[in-house]
Short mmCIF file of all heavy atoms in Angstrom, two decimals:
data_model
loop_
_atom_site.label_atom_id
_atom_site.label_comp_id
_atom_site.label_asym_id
_atom_site.label_seq_id
_atom_site.Cartn_x
_atom_site.Cartn_y
_atom_site.Cartn_z
N VAL A 204 -11.89 2.39 -7.83
CA VAL A 204 -10.41 2.35 -7.82
C VAL A 204 -9.86 3.60 -7.21
O VAL A 204 -10.27 4.74 -7.56
CB VAL A 204 -9.82 2.19 -9.26
CG1 VAL A 204 -8.33 2.26 -9.25
CG2 VAL A 204 -10.33 0.90 -9.87
N CYS A 205 -8.96 3.46 -6.27
CA CYS A 205 -8.25 4.61 -5.67
C CYS A 205 -6.74 4.20 -5.60
O CYS A 205 -6.35 3.49 -4.68
CB CYS A 205 -8.79 4.89 -4.28
SG CYS A 205 -8.09 6.32 -3.46
N TYR A 206 -5.97 4.62 -6.58
CA TYR A 206 -4.53 4.26 -6.59
C TYR A 206 -3.83 4.83 -5.33
O TYR A 206 -4.09 5.94 -4.91
CB TYR A 206 -3.90 4.85 -7.83
CG TYR A 206 -4.20 4.14 -9.14
CD1 TYR A 206 -4.93 4.76 -10.14
CD2 TYR A 206 -3.81 2.85 -9.35
CE1 TYR A 206 -5.26 4.09 -11.35
CE2 TYR A 206 -4.04 2.13 -10.52
CZ TYR A 206 -4.80 2.78 -11.51
OH TYR A 206 -5.06 2.14 -12.67
N ASN A 207 -2.93 4.03 -4.82
CA ASN A 207 -2.06 4.50 -3.73
C ASN A 207 -1.31 5.73 -4.19
O ASN A 207 -1.05 5.93 -5.37
CB ASN A 207 -1.11 3.42 -3.32
CG ASN A 207 -1.76 2.22 -2.69
OD1 ASN A 207 -3.02 2.18 -2.54
ND2 ASN A 207 -1.01 1.21 -2.34
N GLY A 208 -0.82 6.52 -3.21
CA GLY A 208 -0.11 7.74 -3.55
C GLY A 208 1.22 7.79 -2.78
O GLY A 208 1.36 7.24 -1.70
N VAL A 209 2.17 8.52 -3.36
CA VAL A 209 3.45 8.70 -2.70
C VAL A 209 3.67 10.18 -2.44
O VAL A 209 3.34 11.02 -3.30
CB VAL A 209 4.58 8.11 -3.56
CG1 VAL A 209 4.77 8.83 -4.85
CG2 VAL A 209 5.89 8.08 -2.81
N ASP A 210 4.26 10.51 -1.34
CA ASP A 210 4.52 11.92 -0.99
C ASP A 210 5.92 12.31 -1.37
O ASP A 210 6.91 11.67 -0.91
CB ASP A 210 4.32 12.06 0.56
CG ASP A 210 4.20 13.52 1.00
OD1 ASP A 210 4.87 14.38 0.33
OD2 ASP A 210 3.51 13.81 1.96
N ARG A 211 6.02 13.36 -2.14
CA ARG A 211 7.35 13.79 -2.59
C ARG A 211 8.26 14.17 -1.41
O ARG A 211 9.50 14.09 -1.51
CB ARG A 211 7.18 15.02 -3.54
CG ARG A 211 8.45 15.52 -4.14
CD ARG A 211 8.20 16.83 -4.91
NE ARG A 211 7.28 16.62 -6.05
CZ ARG A 211 7.69 16.28 -7.24
NH1 ARG A 211 8.97 16.05 -7.51
NH2 ARG A 211 6.82 16.11 -8.23
N ARG A 212 7.63 14.65 -0.32
CA ARG A 212 8.49 15.01 0.86
C ARG A 212 9.16 13.82 1.51
O ARG A 212 10.18 13.94 2.12
CB ARG A 212 7.63 15.77 1.88
CG ARG A 212 7.07 17.06 1.40
CD ARG A 212 5.99 17.62 2.32
NE ARG A 212 4.83 16.69 2.39
CZ ARG A 212 3.79 16.93 3.14
NH1 ARG A 212 3.72 18.05 3.90
NH2 ARG A 212 2.80 16.07 3.19
N ASP A 213 8.51 12.65 1.34
CA ASP A 213 9.03 11.43 1.99
C ASP A 213 9.89 10.60 1.06
O ASP A 213 10.80 9.92 1.56
CB ASP A 213 7.86 10.59 2.49
CG ASP A 213 7.05 11.27 3.58
OD1 ASP A 213 7.64 12.09 4.29
OD2 ASP A 213 5.83 11.00 3.68
N PHE A 214 9.60 10.60 -0.26
CA PHE A 214 10.35 9.75 -1.18
C PHE A 214 10.72 10.59 -2.43
O PHE A 214 9.83 11.05 -3.15
CB PHE A 214 9.51 8.55 -1.56
CG PHE A 214 9.26 7.61 -0.42
CD1 PHE A 214 8.07 7.69 0.33
CD2 PHE A 214 10.22 6.69 -0.02
CE1 PHE A 214 7.87 6.88 1.41
CE2 PHE A 214 10.03 5.85 1.07
CZ PHE A 214 8.84 5.94 1.79
N HIS A 215 12.01 10.74 -2.65
CA HIS A 215 12.54 11.55 -3.72
C HIS A 215 13.96 11.15 -3.99
O HIS A 215 14.58 10.50 -3.16
CB HIS A 215 12.49 13.03 -3.34
CG HIS A 215 13.11 13.29 -1.92
ND1 HIS A 215 14.49 13.42 -1.77
CD2 HIS A 215 12.51 13.33 -0.69
CE1 HIS A 215 14.72 13.57 -0.48
NE2 HIS A 215 13.57 13.53 0.22
N PRO A 216 14.47 11.47 -5.17
CA PRO A 216 15.89 11.14 -5.45
C PRO A 216 16.82 11.83 -4.45
O PRO A 216 16.52 12.86 -3.88
CB PRO A 216 16.07 11.72 -6.88
CG PRO A 216 14.71 11.70 -7.46
CD PRO A 216 13.79 12.02 -6.35
N ALA A 217 17.95 11.22 -4.23
CA ALA A 217 18.94 11.73 -3.27
C ALA A 217 19.41 13.14 -3.71
O ALA A 217 19.79 13.32 -4.85
CB ALA A 217 20.13 10.82 -3.19
N PRO A 218 19.33 14.15 -2.81
CA PRO A 218 19.78 15.46 -3.14
C PRO A 218 21.25 15.57 -3.38
O PRO A 218 21.76 16.40 -4.13
CB PRO A 218 19.33 16.32 -1.93
CG PRO A 218 19.22 15.37 -0.81
CD PRO A 218 18.80 14.04 -1.42
N ASN A 219 22.01 14.65 -2.75
CA ASN A 219 23.48 14.67 -2.89
C ASN A 219 23.96 13.31 -3.32
O ASN A 219 24.13 12.39 -2.53
CB ASN A 219 24.14 15.08 -1.56
CG ASN A 219 25.70 15.22 -1.68
OD1 ASN A 219 26.26 14.94 -2.78
ND2 ASN A 219 26.31 15.65 -0.65
N PRO A 220 24.14 13.08 -4.60
CA PRO A 220 24.52 11.73 -5.11
C PRO A 220 25.81 11.24 -4.46
O PRO A 220 25.98 10.03 -4.35
CB PRO A 220 24.76 11.97 -6.63
CG PRO A 220 23.92 13.17 -6.93
CD PRO A 220 23.94 14.05 -5.72
N ALA A 221 26.70 12.10 -4.04
CA ALA A 221 27.98 11.69 -3.48
C ALA A 221 27.81 10.95 -2.17
O ALA A 221 28.67 10.15 -1.79
CB ALA A 221 28.92 12.89 -3.27
N THR A 222 26.72 11.19 -1.42
CA THR A 222 26.55 10.61 -0.10
C THR A 222 25.33 9.66 -0.06
O THR A 222 24.95 9.21 1.05
CB THR A 222 26.37 11.67 0.94
OG1 THR A 222 25.23 12.47 0.67
CG2 THR A 222 27.63 12.57 1.04
N ARG A 223 24.74 9.33 -1.20
CA ARG A 223 23.52 8.59 -1.17
C ARG A 223 23.64 7.12 -0.69
O ARG A 223 22.66 6.46 -0.34
CB ARG A 223 22.89 8.60 -2.58
CG ARG A 223 23.64 7.79 -3.65
CD ARG A 223 23.04 8.00 -4.99
NE ARG A 223 23.65 7.21 -6.06
CZ ARG A 223 23.35 6.00 -6.40
NH1 ARG A 223 22.34 5.40 -5.77
NH2 ARG A 223 23.99 5.35 -7.33
N ARG A 224 24.85 6.64 -0.64
CA ARG A 224 25.08 5.24 -0.17
C ARG A 224 25.49 5.13 1.29
O ARG A 224 25.99 4.11 1.69
CB ARG A 224 26.04 4.53 -1.11
CG ARG A 224 25.46 4.28 -2.47
CD ARG A 224 26.39 3.47 -3.35
NE ARG A 224 25.78 3.19 -4.63
CZ ARG A 224 26.46 2.95 -5.73
NH1 ARG A 224 27.79 2.92 -5.73
NH2 ARG A 224 25.81 2.70 -6.84
N ALA A 225 25.32 6.20 2.04
CA ALA A 225 25.83 6.22 3.43
C ALA A 225 25.15 5.14 4.29
O ALA A 225 25.73 4.69 5.28
CB ALA A 225 25.61 7.61 3.98
N ALA A 226 23.94 4.79 3.94
CA ALA A 226 23.20 3.77 4.73
C ALA A 226 23.76 2.36 4.54
O ALA A 226 23.56 1.50 5.44
CB ALA A 226 21.72 3.78 4.42
N LEU A 227 24.47 2.11 3.48
CA LEU A 227 24.96 0.80 3.17
C LEU A 227 26.11 0.37 4.09
O LEU A 227 26.84 1.26 4.64
CB LEU A 227 25.42 0.72 1.71
CG LEU A 227 24.37 0.96 0.65
CD1 LEU A 227 25.02 0.84 -0.75
CD2 LEU A 227 23.22 0.02 0.78
N PRO A 228 26.40 -0.94 4.24
CA PRO A 228 27.58 -1.34 4.96
C PRO A 228 28.83 -0.71 4.34
O PRO A 228 28.83 -0.43 3.10
CB PRO A 228 27.58 -2.83 4.80
CG PRO A 228 26.16 -3.21 4.51
CD PRO A 228 25.58 -2.05 3.77
N ALA A 229 29.83 -0.47 5.12
CA ALA A 229 31.04 0.23 4.60
C ALA A 229 31.59 -0.43 3.36
O ALA A 229 31.98 0.22 2.41
CB ALA A 229 32.08 0.28 5.69
N ALA A 230 31.61 -1.77 3.34
CA ALA A 230 32.17 -2.50 2.21
C ALA A 230 31.32 -2.29 0.89
O ALA A 230 31.84 -2.58 -0.17
CB ALA A 230 32.31 -3.96 2.55
N PHE A 231 30.07 -1.87 1.05
CA PHE A 231 29.19 -1.72 -0.10
C PHE A 231 29.13 -0.26 -0.63
O PHE A 231 28.59 -0.06 -1.71
CB PHE A 231 27.78 -2.19 0.23
CG PHE A 231 27.57 -3.69 0.27
CD1 PHE A 231 28.51 -4.56 0.77
CD2 PHE A 231 26.43 -4.21 -0.33
CE1 PHE A 231 28.34 -5.89 0.76
CE2 PHE A 231 26.25 -5.57 -0.36
CZ PHE A 231 27.17 -6.42 0.20
N GLN A 232 29.66 0.66 0.14
CA GLN A 232 29.47 2.07 -0.20
C GLN A 232 30.26 2.48 -1.46
O GLN A 232 29.92 3.43 -2.15
CB GLN A 232 29.87 2.97 0.95
CG GLN A 232 28.90 2.88 2.11
CD GLN A 232 29.31 3.68 3.31
OE1 GLN A 232 30.20 4.60 3.23
NE2 GLN A 232 28.69 3.45 4.46
N SER A 233 31.25 1.73 -1.83
CA SER A 233 32.04 1.99 -3.07
C SER A 233 31.63 1.10 -4.19
O SER A 233 32.38 1.00 -5.20
CB SER A 233 33.52 1.83 -2.77
OG SER A 233 33.81 0.50 -2.32
N ALA A 234 30.47 0.41 -4.10
CA ALA A 234 30.00 -0.49 -5.14
C ALA A 234 29.87 0.22 -6.48
O ALA A 234 29.49 1.37 -6.57
CB ALA A 234 28.66 -1.09 -4.74
N SER A 235 30.17 -0.49 -7.54
CA SER A 235 29.97 0.11 -8.89
C SER A 235 28.53 0.28 -9.22
O SER A 235 28.16 1.31 -9.83
CB SER A 235 30.68 -0.79 -9.91
OG SER A 235 30.09 -2.13 -9.90
N LEU A 236 27.66 -0.69 -8.82
CA LEU A 236 26.22 -0.60 -8.98
C LEU A 236 25.60 -1.37 -7.82
O LEU A 236 26.14 -2.36 -7.37
CB LEU A 236 25.73 -1.19 -10.25
CG LEU A 236 25.83 -0.39 -11.58
CD1 LEU A 236 25.30 -1.21 -12.74
CD2 LEU A 236 25.05 0.94 -11.49
N VAL A 237 24.43 -0.90 -7.35
CA VAL A 237 23.74 -1.56 -6.32
C VAL A 237 22.33 -1.96 -6.83
O VAL A 237 21.54 -1.10 -7.23
CB VAL A 237 23.54 -0.70 -5.03
CG1 VAL A 237 22.79 -1.52 -3.95
CG2 VAL A 237 24.94 -0.30 -4.50
N VAL A 238 22.09 -3.26 -6.85
CA VAL A 238 20.77 -3.83 -7.22
C VAL A 238 20.09 -4.21 -5.93
O VAL A 238 20.77 -4.72 -4.96
CB VAL A 238 20.93 -5.05 -8.14
CG1 VAL A 238 19.60 -5.60 -8.50
CG2 VAL A 238 21.77 -4.68 -9.37
N GLY A 239 18.76 -4.03 -5.87
CA GLY A 239 18.14 -4.46 -4.57
C GLY A 239 16.64 -4.51 -4.63
O GLY A 239 16.00 -4.17 -5.58
N SER A 240 16.12 -4.89 -3.45
CA SER A 240 14.64 -4.93 -3.24
C SER A 240 14.34 -4.66 -1.81
O SER A 240 15.15 -5.00 -0.92
CB SER A 240 14.10 -6.28 -3.69
OG SER A 240 12.72 -6.27 -3.78
#
Side-chain angles (χ1 to χ4, degrees):
V204 176
C205 182
Y206 285 114
N207 295 357
V209 65
D210 195 327
R211 186 186 296 271
R212 295 169 298 181
D213 297 331
F214 295 96
H215 51 81
N219 185 355
T222 60
R223 69 185 181 91
R224 288 185 178 156
L227 298 180
F231 280 43
Q232 291 179 14
S233 60
S235 58
L236 279 179
V237 180
V238 180
S240 192

